[in-house]
Amino acid sequence: MAGAFGPPPFPFCRKLPLMTVLLLLSVILVIAGAGFFLGRGRALSRVSGNVRALHSLPGYYGWHAAIMTAMPALGILLVWLIAQPIVLERQVLPYLPADIVADSTERTLAMADVRRVAAGLDMAVSTGAMTEDEAGMIRTELTDVRSRLASVGVALGSDVKRETLQAAQAYRKSFGAAVLWRGIVVLAVALAGLALALRLTEPDFRARNRGEAVMLGVLITASSIAILTTVGIIWSMLSESLNFFSQYPASEFFFGLTWSPNFRGGSDLGFIPLLWGTMYISLVAMIVAVPLGLFTAIYLAEYASPRARAWIKPVIEIIAGIPTVVFGLFALVTVGPFLRDWFAEPFGFGNSGSSVMTAGLVIGILNIPFISSLADDIINSVPQSLRDGSYGLGATKSETVRQVILPAALPGIVGAVLLAASRAIGETMIVTMGAGAAAKLSLNPFDAMTTMTVKIVGQLTGDTDFNSPETLVAFALGITLFVITLGLNVFALWIVRKYREQYE
Amino acid sequence: MEDQKTMKDIHLEERVVSDHAPRITARGVNVHYGENHALKDVDVDILSGTVTAFIGPSGCGKSTFLRCLNRMNDTVANARVTGQILLDGEDIYDKRVDPVQLRAKVGMVFQKPNPFPKSIYDNVAYGPKIHGLTRNKAELDGIVESCLRKAALWNEVKDRLTAPGTGLSGGQQQRLCIARAIATSPEVLLMDEPCSALDPIATAQVEELIDELRASFSVVIVTHSMQQAARVSQKTAFFHLGHLVEYGETGQIFTNPRDPRTESYITGRIG
């Protein structure tokens, strides 16, 4: 069904009135704009200019009319745009052979062909190579459609079959009708909305409260889109993961100690080595990032003069703006060789430039501004009265920081650290370039290892059958990773909520 | 009954403290916050064993002066203090004086109860711990108990010393802060409107406590309530627009003020 929403309908409908969605949108907006002035004018005229007699300010009546015009029309348009390809497909399918229709993959391919031929005919008509009548009447028995279309610049992969051409012609016809009716219906709804709004515009009509209600709807929609996206992500990951687990035993995936995908089949896809690599690298990253980030935050929040703070904070935050792939380059060409030449080789830890240490260090640096700016905000939100209380007892600055401010800020800091940890776990680019691609269970931090994210990319971008366990394992890895980071985030939020001090 | 005495609005017995020795001597104290001249040429003697009240309308400089006495103004970036303040004959603004040491000797209780987000025990033990006043846990336990008793809080919290101090009621929190302040055994206790966030019952408890504390410390209290000043203090200083207008026996200030501005304020005409 992926192709059902198909190529955008704009190119086909140049010749029809009220056609493109864009044009339709602009017409709706123009009517809505007119509605604004009409609504406002009507409200004012109902009270002969005495604004105080109106329930709401005149502008609210204008907005009410504009919204009543645009919202239902846009809603209908959206539903139409979603439904149209599905309905059209249903109308065209009878032209295609039954055995093709029965198989979902073949059906999708056939429909793509139909649409391509229809687009070719449109193109031919619009360039004048064919008349509208010709396009509707040509027959494969009489014309070589492929070469005819090729002459106007539409390349088709194979000869056009009779039923495909017929389907395409039916498709064009239905499409034209659909576009025409779409325009008529949508505009009728817009005008009806406007008329209704104007009829409602009376002095005691609560246009202001209506506006509030619409605003509330907008806010709810915005937040539900994010939620629905998450649900969609989970759903798609889950369905492919289930597919994977139907081909590969879950116990071997979750407890297998070897990761050696073999594209000829018979792979070992144990995820423990990847989990180990992920956790090891994240651990190194957090060992780097937590103290540095925290100390930075303490310095900025408690010690730095306003002038020092004014330039140190932005400079640190520049790090957060560096793309991770650039950090990856840094890991690859600078940190990796440096660690290899100065630590790994002299101390006999191996001779790999890519290592857990390299990737961990660089991810740690990447996470410093994240931790420092979150912790800085948290420390700043500790009330001044606590500092005063501590100084008033004769505590020094560092005693106050250690014994009063950090304990007070601790829940927030723990939350920040856990968020940073889930970022480190999800990091891909730096690991790809800094840690290597060898899945290994080793304690040596100068060994090359790899993580779940790297393997997700690796398995999906390979040139293999999509339906093999070697590819599908990426989804299983993805959902496992998602569960791990989700768990960390939930835990972080729980800690923050549970231990947050309620200061006024 | 004891209640009889505390229920009286103004009690003027035991006012005579003029034979007490001065603990803090301030001469010609000026404070600037940036361009703003907040305190002008203030001379005050704080006597030992005495409760001294600072009264005056908002913004008159009384809290500013209070914060000079333990150098809390040092933590305000653009504050500048000139003049001389002697604690037991020693200039507290001398370069050799460590403000941190000074604040252990001059404790402070703030307007809003500000218990640390720690247990009740740790709140009180905070000062003794950072100043190393005890040699072992038993001694520390002793200090915590005696301070909580002095602050009239022991009976209410003795069974939940490990509970967080922030979980107490407002009045209990303020008494906890007082216990915390006296745990470092200061010589002078500064209180900046300690009852302004409390209900009348908690206020009465804290006032009673202040009267008892007088036996061991000099207490300086800033207050907006003239009834409170009259109830708890022996000496009263009236501040107005950064000037110390009048300073004397509390009874005399409230019954027979010498300066017309003092009289206007205590009779409610300015403020």
Side-chain angles (χ1 to χ4, degrees):
Chain A
M1 279 303 285
F5 297 97
F10 311 122
F12 314 123
C13 34
R14 242 164 267 145
K15 285 280 157 80
L16 291 163
L18 303 173
M19 347 145 238
T20 67
V21 177
L22 205 61
L23 184 63
L24 205 50
L25 271 181
S26 358
V27 173
I28 292 173
L29 290 183
V30 168
I31 300 177
F36 177 84
F37 291 103
L38 285 174
R40 197 177 63 169
R42 183 176 159 86
L44 279 172
S45 73
R46 296 299 282 196
V47 293
S48 34
N50 177 15
V51 175
R52 298 195 58 177
L54 288 172
H55 171 271
S56 316
L57 289 173
Y60 284 107
Y61 292 94
W63 279 113
H64 174 247
I67 289 168
M68 288 282 282
T69 309
M71 272 231 310
L74 292 178
I76 296 277
L77 179 58
L78 186 69
V79 171
W80 194 294
L81 284 177
I82 292 171
Q84 181 172 298
I86 302 171
V87 175
L88 282 184
E89 185 175 315
R90 190 153 299 163
Q91 287 186 343
V92 166
L93 283 182
Y95 290 92
L96 300 174
D99 56 324
I100 289 181
V101 175
D103 184 291
S104 76
T105 322
E106 293 233 22
R107 191 174 62 211
T108 312
L109 288 174
M111 277 310 296
D113 272 348
V114 168
R115 268 191 292 270
R116 207 171 306 131
V117 172
L121 292 174
D122 278 329
M123 183 80 90
V125 171
S126 69
T127 53
M130 239 185 242
T131 63
E132 187 63 47
D133 289 345
E134 264 186 296
M137 307 217 302
I138 52 168
R139 291 280 172 272
T140 41
E141 295 86 347
L142 308 175
T143 324
D144 182 357
V145 179
R146 187 181 175 194
S147 57
R148 188 76 194 273
L149 288 180
S151 67
V152 295
V154 179
L156 296 176
S158 60
D159 272 332
V160 180
K161 282 187 246 145
R162 193 173 63 89
E163 60 268 18
T164 309
L165 182 65
Q166 281 176 347
Q169 284 162 337
Y171 183 85
R172 286 190 71 226
K173 223 160 127 196
S174 306
F175 193 93
V179 166
L180 181 68
W181 279 106
R182 182 174 74 196
I184 292 170
V185 168
V186 167
L187 289 181
V189 168
L191 291 172
L194 177 59
L196 181 63
L198 290 180
R199 254 192 62 182
L200 285 174
T201 304
E202 294 294 333
D204 57 354
F205 176 68
R206 303 181 176 185
R208 201 170 157 198
N209 307 29
R210 281 288 183 96
E212 298 271 295
V214 169
M215 208 50 229
L216 178 67
V218 169
L219 298 179
I220 291 176
T221 313
S223 53
S224 47
I225 283 175
I227 294 171
L228 288 177
T229 314
T230 314
V231 171
I233 291 172
I234 296 175
W235 184 78
S236 71
M237 299 284 280
L238 213 53
S239 64
E240 297 293 346
S241 300
L242 289 179
N243 197 353
F244 167 73
F245 286 123
S246 69
Q247 301 182 24
Y248 192 87
S251 60
E252 280 180 39
F253 172 72
F254 283 114
F255 304 107
L257 297 181
T258 338
W259 173 270
S260 64
N262 184 339
F263 287 119
R264 287 183 301 272
S267 319
D268 284 324
L269 299 172
F271 109 119
I272 297 285
L274 303 184
L275 181 68
W276 169 248
T278 305
M279 291 302 159
Y280 202 175
I281 290 172
S282 305
L283 181 74
V284 173
M286 295 320 283
I287 288 174
V288 173
V290 170
L292 289 180
L294 209 50
F295 290 168
T296 307
I298 292 170
Y299 170 71
L300 282 178
E302 294 293 319
Y303 291 90
S305 67
R307 268 182 57 201
R309 191 184 153 86
W311 70 265
I312 293 176
K313 205 170 152 75
V315 168
I316 289 175
E317 275 161 10
I318 285 178
I319 300 180
I322 300 175
T324 54
V325 68
V326 175
F327 266 105
L329 288 176
F330 177 60
L332 188 67
V333 301
T334 312
V335 180
F338 171 82
L339 287 176
R340 181 190 61 210
D341 298 343
W342 292 88
F343 291 93
E345 281 186 343
F347 295 103
F349 284 124
N351 55 3
S352 168
S354 306
S355 68
V356 167
M357 216 48 185
T358 310
L361 270 182
V362 176
I363 295 176
I365 293 167
L366 172 79
N367 263 335
I368 288 174
F370 188 71
I371 293 185
S372 78
S373 87
L374 276 177
D376 180 37
D377 289 344
I378 293 158
I379 291 174
N380 272 322
S381 72
V382 172
Q384 180 63 27
S385 68
L386 287 185
R387 295 185 182 86
D388 284 347
S390 178
Y391 296 144
L393 290 170
T396 62
K397 204 150 197 172
S398 79
E399 284 163 347
T400 304
V401 168
R402 261 186 298 126
Q403 305 205 18
V404 175
I405 294 173
L406 285 185
L410 195 64
I413 291 172
V414 170
V417 167
L418 289 177
L419 288 180
S422 66
R423 262 169 58 117
I425 289 172
E427 177 50 48
T428 313
M429 221 52 229
I430 295 174
V431 184
T432 312
M433 297 167 87
K440 206 185 288 180
L441 267 175
S442 157
L443 274 175
N444 180 356
F446 293 97
D447 266 353
M449 276 180 224
T450 195
T451 66
M452 299 164 73
T453 50
V454 172
K455 284 300 157 197
I456 290 174
V457 177
Q459 296 308 109
L460 269 184
T461 50
D463 197 14
T464 49
D465 180 10
F466 189 81
N467 237 346
S468 69
E470 285 76 19
T471 309
L472 288 174
V473 71
F475 292 97
L477 286 174
I479 195 124
T480 316
L481 188 67
F482 175 77
V483 169
I484 292 173
T485 51
L486 181 76
L488 263 181
N489 285 358
V490 169
F491 184 59
L493 289 177
W494 180 75
I495 293 236
V496 171
R497 272 221 197 117
K498 177 146 197 248
Y499 294 100
R500 180 169 49 196
E501 287 287 335
Q502 298 294 339
Y503 303 115
E504 302 116 67
Chain B
M1 278 273 291
E2 181 77 5
D3 286 355
Q4 288 274 304
K5 188 176 126 192
T6 51
M7 289 305 286
K8 263 192 291 177
D9 219 25
I10 297 182
H11 54 93
L12 297 172
E13 63 254 46
E14 297 178 68
R15 291 291 190 200
V16 186
V17 288
S18 49
D19 56 331
H20 290 212
R23 202 72 222 224
I24 294 179
T25 314
R27 290 290 175 267
V29 176
N30 283 278
V31 178
H32 297 258
Y33 291 120
E35 292 294 299
N36 177 21
H37 194 176
L39 203 62
K40 299 158 189 164
D41 274 328
V42 172
D43 301 343
V44 167
D45 287 333
I46 307 291
L47 306 182
S48 64
T50 306
V51 178
T52 306
F54 291 173
I55 60 171
S58 294
C60 67
K62 54 193 190 304
S63 287
T64 298
F65 182 63
L66 192 76
R67 292 169 69 92
C68 289
L69 299 180
N70 66 346
R71 294 187 59 175
M72 279 299 277
N73 281 330
D74 290 14
T75 62
V76 180
N78 60 352
R80 192 158 50 81
V81 181
T82 56
Q84 194 184 44
I85 301 177
L86 303 178
L87 171 66
D88 295 331
E90 196 184 357
D91 185 358
I92 64 169
Y93 279 89
D94 192 283
K95 282 201 175 54
R96 284 169 304 179
V97 171
D98 178 2
V100 169
Q101 295 289 314
L102 170 72
R103 289 181 201 135
K105 284 193 275 183
V106 184
M108 189 154 191
V109 175
F110 295 83
Q111 182 170 2
K112 226 175 67 185
N114 55 351
F116 300 138
K118 297 169 176 287
S119 70
I120 294 170
Y121 181 95
D122 286 333
N123 261 283
V124 183
Y126 183 77
K129 270 187 191 162
I130 59 176
H131 296 296
L133 301 182
T134 55
R135 274 165 303 178
N136 53 43
K137 176 90 167 81
E139 266 187 54
L140 190 61
D141 289 349
I143 288 190
V144 170
E145 181 177 343
S146 77
C147 292
L148 283 171
R149 277 188 195 284
K150 274 188 212 158
L153 193 60
W154 176 253
N155 287 332
E156 290 159 58
V157 301
K158 64 182 173 198
D159 299 324
R160 46 174 176 150
L161 290 175
T162 52
T166 43
L168 297 172
S169 73
Q172 289 174 324
Q173 287 190 10
Q174 193 63 305
R175 280 179 283 151
L176 178 62
C177 291
I178 293 172
R180 189 177 71 185
I182 60 184
T184 56
S185 19
E187 297 164 21
V188 180
L189 192 59
L190 309 177
M191 302 179 125
D192 190 355
E193 296 181 46
C195 301
S196 67
L198 303 185
D199 67 37
I201 295 168
T203 302
Q205 288 168 329
V206 170
E207 284 179 3
E208 202 174 326
L209 175 61
I210 291 170
D211 200 52
E212 285 161 21
L213 293 177
R214 183 160 75 89
S216 348
F217 317 102
S218 295
V219 179
V220 184
I221 176 170
V222 164
T223 177
H224 269 132
S225 155
M226 282 173 282
Q227 287 83 356
Q228 184 173 61
R231 281 194 298 264
V232 301
S233 71
Q234 289 80 47
K235 301 274 277 181
T236 297
F238 171 62
F239 287 80
H240 189 233
L241 300 176
H243 293 284
L244 175 63
V245 174
E246 190 166 353
Y247 178 50
E249 302 280 325
T250 298
Q252 172 253 312
I253 294 273
F254 280 96
T255 55
N256 187 20
R258 297 198 181 99
D259 194 289
R261 285 172 290 175
T262 316
E263 190 185 1
S264 303
Y265 183 69
I266 61 174
T267 54
R269 282 203 293 274
I270 57 171

